[in-house]
Every structure is written in C-alpha cells, then in structure tokens.
Amino acid sequence: MQAENHIYPIFDRMLGRADKEALLHQHSVMIWFTGLSGSGKSTIAIALERELQKRGLLCRILDGDNIRSGINNNLGFSAEDRVENIRRIAEVGKLFVETGIITLAAFISPNNELREMASRIIGKENFLEIYVSTPLEECERRDVKGLYAKARKGEIRNFTGISAPFEAPAHPDLSLDTSKLSVEESVNRLLELILPRVKAE
Ligand SMILES: Nc1ncnc2c1ncn2[C@@H]1O[C@H](COP(=O)(O)OS(=O)(=O)O)[C@@H](OP(=O)(O)O)[C@H]1O
Ligand SMILES: Nc1ncnc2c1ncn2[C@@H]1O[C@H](COP(=O)(O)OP(=O)(O)O)[C@@H](O)[C@H]1O
C-alpha cells in the first residue's frame, strides 16, 4: 500500500508522447515495410529517412542490420522465430513511436498474421503498411547477398519466396514495385502519404 502511494504520483508526472512530439515539432508514426529479400525495403527506408531529416523530421530505421545482429541475434528463420523476431521489433518500435520518433521498420514479415500482430502491438492508428511488391524474379535477379542462389541450391532452408511462403498484404496503405519505380519515385509517393500526418500544425 505504502509503495503504491509513492509510485502513483510519479507516474502522473511522467512525460507522455504528446510532450515528446511537441518537443520535436512532429507527430510520430510506424512506417512498416514488408516484402521479399532484395525487394528494396532498406534502400527505400534509407532514402526516405534522408528526405524526412531534410525537412527537420526525426526518424529511426529498424532493419536486419541493427536488430537481427543485436537484440534478435538468437533467432533464426523458423516460423516460431519469425514470430518472436517481429514481436520484439514491434515492441521496440512502439517505444520509438511513443518517444515521438517517426519509425521505419524494414522486415520481410512474410504473412498477415505477423503484420497484424505488429500493428496490434504498436496500435493500428500508428501503423502504415507499405508493401514493397517487387516480383520474386527481380529480387532473385538482383540477389544482392547471393542468398537466392544458395537457397536454390538447398544451402539455406526456409528461404522466403523459395522454400518458405510470402503472403502479400491484402490492403496495404501503399504498394511500391521497384522493378517499375525508381527509388526517388517510391520516396515521393511515401512523402505524399506521410508528410500530412507527421508535420506539426
Ligand atoms: N531463410 C531466410 N529467409 C529469409 N531471409 C533470410 C533467410 N536467411 C537469412 N535471411 C536474411 O535475413 C533477412 C530477413 O530477415 P527479417 O528479419 O526481415 O525476416 S522475417 O521478417 O523474420 O521473416 C533477409 O534480408 P533482407 O534482404 O534485408 O530482407 C536475408 O538477407
Ligand atoms: N528502384 C529501386 N528501388 C529500390 N532498390 C533498388 C531499385 N533498383 C535497384 N535496387 C537495388 O535493389 C537492392 C534492394 O536491396 P535492399 O534494399 O537491401 O532490399 P531489402 O531490404 O528488401 O532486402 C539494392 O541493391 C538496390 O540498390
């Protein structure tokens, strides 16, 4: 009882998302990129972050390079591990969004169940789903990391698009096929969608 009396007044005084957003002169949102390996998720996120920063907007990118190599370095690509991967990313993403930061997550997140879980954790109203819909043939032609070749040879198991499924989102907020759109065109489409939401009045 005594502990509660001490703790509650402190929580009452804790600064909230609105205070952080006011400090940063922006509104936060989660921009969730989904698509095959090599579809262009990270490339577009990086280019978008630069454009938002030019406009005085603070962003944070979450991608395989900073998540799978760190907080999630004990996870692989089984169905169970992908659930835990996305769950942790969504929880971390939620913290950034609550800090007023525009958050860009670039993960394959290969099915509706995973993306719905992320949206539920972060809050539907804070979540924009961007489907980078570049066809498998183009991703495989690019084969940026040589992983498709290895997957075709059976050297990598459960490889999305080859030996593990990818379920396209039914109603994404935006679709970007990078076999047809330049990076600049994709970024411009994203800016049209995002700027009205994130700019402070
Ligand atoms: N089996 C298998 N399937 C898919 N991808 C694999 C696999 N093994 C390693 N990789 C590399 O890991 C990157 C995908 O990680 P994600 O965290 O985005 O995947 S997931 O959302 O949990 O499905 C993905 O990187 P991106 O190219 O950045 O998408 C791959 O390079
Ligand atoms: N129009 C385009 N949009 C995005 N990426 C493109 C485009 N054309 C070619 N690429 C190349 O495709 C690759 C996409 O890789 P990456 O961004 O790492 O994809 P992902 O994060 O989805 O795995 C990069 O080498 C990038 O330079």
Side-chain angles (χ1 to χ4, degrees):
M1 275 304 146
Q2 202 187 1
E4 276 180 14
N5 288 338
H6 282 293
I7 288 165
Y8 281 134
I10 293 169
F11 277 120
D12 284 348
R13 292 202 302 272
M14 196 188 249
L15 294 172
R17 174 175 171 180
D19 301 297
K20 314 275 178 185
E21 289 181 329
L23 181 72
L24 296 169
H25 304 290
Q26 65 184 41
H27 295 292
S28 59
V29 67
M30 167 60 79
I31 303 161
W32 188 277
F33 294 90
T34 175
L36 292 167
S37 174
S39 58
K41 303 181 295 297
S42 293
T43 302
I44 295 169
I46 289 165
L48 176 63
E49 181 185 45
R50 287 189 168 274
E51 288 304 316
L52 292 171
Q53 168 124 349
K54 273 190 211 163
R55 290 161 175 80
L57 296 161
L58 181 66
C59 299
R60 172 77 238 185
I61 296 179
L62 303 176
D63 67 7
D65 286 341
N66 53 38
I67 293 283
R68 273 203 175 267
S69 60
I71 191 173
N72 286 355
N73 69 3
N74 63 328
L75 300 177
F77 292 89
S78 65
E80 300 73 41
D81 278 8
R82 289 188 205 236
V83 173
E84 183 57 11
N85 182 42
I86 298 301
R87 189 192 68 78
R88 290 185 202 165
I89 291 159
E91 292 289 355
V92 170
K94 182 183 174 185
L95 296 177
F96 279 104
V97 170
E98 284 173 351
T99 312
I101 296 170
I102 301 161
T103 311
L104 283 53
F107 297 92
I108 296 177
S109 42
N111 60 56
N112 286 324
E113 208 177 314
L114 287 174
R115 294 182 295 258
E116 277 162 18
M117 175 182 66
S119 166
R120 214 167 36 246
I121 291 170
I122 295 155
K124 218 171 150 28
E125 66 287 1
N126 302 316
F127 192 90
L128 291 175
E129 186 179 67
I130 313 300
Y131 176 29
V132 185
S133 61
T134 315
L136 174 64
E137 303 69 54
E138 174 62 12
C139 298
E140 194 166 357
R141 190 193 62 75
R142 292 177 185 168
D143 205 1
V144 186
K145 301 173 186 166
L147 297 177
Y148 282 97
K150 285 190 180 162
R152 287 287 182 200
K153 283 192 260 172
E155 290 170 19
I156 303 177
R157 287 165 53 217
N158 294 328
F159 194 79
T160 311
I162 306 294
S163 45
F166 182 86
E167 181 181 23
H171 305 291
D173 293 285
L174 188 65
S175 285
L176 301 167
D177 177 349
T178 71
S179 68
K180 299 203 177 94
L181 297 171
S182 67
V183 177
E184 195 187 359
E185 285 167 332
S186 291
V187 169
N188 285 338
R189 289 187 188 196
L190 281 159
L191 289 173
E192 261 177 52
L193 177 72
I194 295 160
L195 285 178
R197 278 188 71 123
V198 299
K199 274 185 169 169
E201 315 59 50

